[in-house]
């Protein structure tokens, strides 16, 4: 039996615009090969930096384009090594590991269905050393799929101003919205003073290009640029130039319009199947992104369940990997087909219902 994976937060192969990217890659090598095949600016391919700067209404000197946005997070973690960072719980597991490896002290603040709990944030701000920054994924959060409400976004920006708190808004999923109205980003609400913004073309074009970016205060951008030089001299310019060519041809919006229904069909298949197969569980209902957060009955343990999931032909990531409770799990609907999702959730339902022999 082939395992159906709800563990992989990656796009389904049909979401990747392969032919168009092949054409863009060829075009940039032919047009600007001597630049993109050489060393260049450590901050990224200049035309792409300028495009991103214009999109966010900042000077290009505030934009750092990295080999995937996680690489930028590694630089930021190095810059703030030994300091204290607040983050929402649960949160994406890779930043947890990156921050721990850099010797950053991590303080978790609880979330509910409406995103980060601001009372908890105020408590964390009132005790201990001033944090270097707050790391948050306000839209279609990884792993929970939750989105911070507009009201809380405004209050969070007010709190950042009151406490002179830097906030890192990690926003790779914001454009991958299938329905509902997009709330303003924290960056837009703040005007880019207290909010650092990171995003990526991994979910909007293709993850294998490894193109992510940060919008930072100019001083911090220069500091991270220095770390970039000593790490890789120049990021991979061919991927960045290919992304730029894609954008220059106005292909981003049509591509988003193409992938939104592909992903929405998967999200719908998962929600409908959960309704049918897991009557005693609860789950998030995201309007976009890649993930649904599953909460089984109290006392359930998804790590134990995962140990038996292999033979049942389904996989997922236990919530504890993200700092969540033992009865939670992250289900990615992005990769497998709607039919596989229906079958995978059926397998998951049987697994949960199965009595455990001791
Ligand atoms: C919240 C979040 N940030 C960053 C990333 C990584 O993005 P990139 O591919 O640009 O490194 C992911 C990928 O899953 C993510 O979910």
């Amino acid at each position: 039996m082939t395992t159906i994976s709800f563990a992989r937060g990656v796009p389904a192969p049909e979401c990747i615009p392969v032919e168009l990217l092949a054409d863009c890659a060829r075009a940039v090598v032919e047009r600007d090969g001597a630049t993109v095949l050489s060393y260049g600016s450590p901050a990224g391919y200049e035309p792409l930096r300028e495009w991103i700067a214009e999109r966010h209404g900042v000077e290009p000197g505030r934009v750092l384009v990295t080999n995937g946005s996680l690489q930028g997070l590694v630089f930021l973690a190095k810059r703030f090594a030994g300091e204290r960072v607040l983050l929402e719980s649960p949160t994406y597991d890779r930043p947890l590991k990156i921050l721990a490896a850099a010797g950053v002290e991590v303080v978790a603040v609880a979330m509910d269905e409406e995103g980060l709990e601001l009372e908890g944030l105020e408590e964390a701000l009132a005790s201990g050393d001033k944090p270097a920054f707050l790391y948050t994924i306000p839209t279609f959060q990884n792993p929970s799929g939750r989105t911070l409400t507009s009201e809380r976004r405004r209050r969070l920006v007010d709190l950042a101003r009151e406490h002179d708190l830097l906030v890192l808004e990690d926003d790779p999923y914001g454009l991958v919205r299938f329905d509902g109205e997009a709330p303003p980003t924290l960056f837009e609400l703040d005007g880019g003073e207290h909010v650092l913004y990171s995003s990526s073309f991994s979910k909007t074009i293709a993850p294998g290009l490894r193109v992510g970016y940060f919008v930072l205060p100019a001083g911090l951008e220069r500091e991270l640029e220095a770390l970039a030089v000593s790490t890789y001299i120049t990021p991979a310019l061919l991927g960045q130039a290919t992304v730029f060519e894609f954008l220059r041809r106005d292909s981003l919006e049509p591509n988003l319009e193409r992938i939104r229904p592909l992903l929405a069909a998967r999200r719908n298949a998962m929600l409908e199947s959960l309704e049918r197969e897991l009557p005693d569980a609860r789950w998030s209902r995201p309007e976009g992104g890649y993930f649904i957060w599953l909460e089984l009955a109290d006392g359930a343990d998804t790590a134990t369940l995962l140990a038996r999931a292999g033979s049942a032909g389904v996989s997922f990531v236990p919530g504890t990997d993200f700092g969540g409770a033992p009865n939670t799990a992250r289900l990615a609907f992005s990769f497998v087909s709607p039919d596989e999702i229906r079958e995978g959730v059926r397998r998951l339902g049987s697994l949960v219902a199965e009595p455990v022999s001791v």
Side-chain angles (χ1 to χ4, degrees):
M1 180 170 25
T2 316
T3 294
I4 294 173
S5 175
F6 298 145
R8 305 193 63 198
V10 298
E14 69 203 274
C15 290
I16 299 177
V18 175
E19 279 173 30
L20 186 50
L21 285 172
D23 202 48
C24 290
R26 169 165 283 279
V28 292
V29 171
E30 282 174 357
R31 194 179 62 243
D32 204 11
T35 305
V36 304
L37 298 175
S38 185
Y39 292 116
S41 164
Y45 186 58
E46 289 300 340
L48 180 60
R49 260 183 118 190
E50 283 163 25
W51 188 95
I52 294 166
E54 199 181 322
R55 185 173 182 94
H56 293 289
V58 299
E59 289 300 310
R62 292 182 55 188
V63 176
L64 181 72
V65 192
T66 49
N67 293 333
S69 62
L70 273 184
Q71 177 72 68
L73 194 70
V74 172
F75 296 150
L76 208 61
K78 276 193 184 165
R79 164 65 183 74
F80 291 109
E83 296 196 42
R84 190 169 172 252
V85 167
L86 309 183
L87 41 76
E88 56 209 5
S89 183
T91 195
Y92 184 26
D93 52 346
R94 291 192 197 280
L96 285 173
K97 290 179 187 141
I98 289 169
L99 292 166
V104 168
E105 183 203 344
V106 161
V107 179
V109 178
M111 293 179 89
D112 60 21
E113 274 71 37
E114 300 194 340
L116 183 70
E117 287 180 14
L118 299 182
E119 294 69 29
L121 175 63
E122 284 189 275
E123 278 166 31
L125 286 169
S127 59
D129 293 338
K130 187 172 186 291
F133 62 91
L134 162 73
Y135 173 68
T136 179
I137 311 163
T139 309
F140 310 137
Q141 197 232 18
N142 183 357
S144 69
R146 292 169 182 152
T147 291
L148 189 69
T149 60
S150 292
E151 207 256 343
R152 283 199 196 174
R153 285 173 191 243
R154 287 177 212 285
R155 276 178 53 212
L156 175 53
V157 167
D158 286 346
L159 279 176
R161 289 183 180 146
E162 245 169 69
H163 293 267
D164 191 27
L165 168 71
L166 276 185
V167 176
L168 170 57
E169 176 176 29
D170 188 6
D171 187 28
Y173 301 103
L175 293 175
V176 190
R177 169 175 286 277
F178 324 138
D179 34 52
E181 276 277 300
T185 63
L186 299 173
F187 183 84
E188 284 161 355
L189 288 173
D190 169 63
E193 229 176 278
H194 290 89
V195 179
L196 321 177
Y197 184 83
S198 69
S199 189
S200 166
F201 295 98
S202 289
K203 311 295 147 76
T204 55
I205 305 182
L209 291 162
R210 307 308 298 129
V211 184
Y213 66 88
F214 276 67
V215 181
L216 302 162
L220 188 54
E221 192 284 331
R222 279 192 296 276
E223 286 181 61
L224 298 201
E225 203 177 306
L227 288 170
V229 178
S230 55
T231 304
Y232 47 50
I233 311 177
T234 304
L237 294 179
L238 181 54
Q240 296 192 10
T242 303
V243 164
F244 177 68
E245 180 65 15
F246 195 89
L247 300 169
R248 202 177 73 98
R249 295 182 183 192
D250 287 330
S251 296
L252 181 62
E253 197 47 47
N255 192 54
L256 291 169
E257 280 167 22
R258 189 181 65 80
I259 64 175
R260 283 176 187 132
L262 296 175
L263 290 164
R266 289 166 164 79
R267 187 265 329 249
N268 295 345
M270 189 167 271
L271 289 177
E272 288 156 15
S273 307
L274 287 168
E275 204 77 61
R276 203 171 38 245
E277 309 288 349
L278 285 153
D280 299 329
R282 300 189 324 144
W283 50 87
S284 58
R285 297 173 178 278
E287 293 180 326
Y290 279 20
F291 306 109
I292 286 175
W293 189 241
L294 178 67
E295 228 175 296
L296 298 179
D298 285 348
D301 186 320
T302 56
T304 314
L305 209 60
L306 185 64
R308 295 189 286 120
S311 50
V314 65
S315 74
F316 53 84
V317 185
T320 45
D321 282 21
F322 309 97
N327 64 331
T328 58
R330 187 190 77 173
L331 304 180
F333 54 79
S334 55
F335 183 63
V336 284
S337 71
D339 278 347
E340 287 169 319
I341 288 173
R342 284 184 271 272
E343 173 58 18
V345 176
R346 195 194 60 73
R347 292 178 188 175
L348 189 61
S350 313
L351 190 67
V352 170
E354 216 171 79
V356 185
S357 50
V358 271

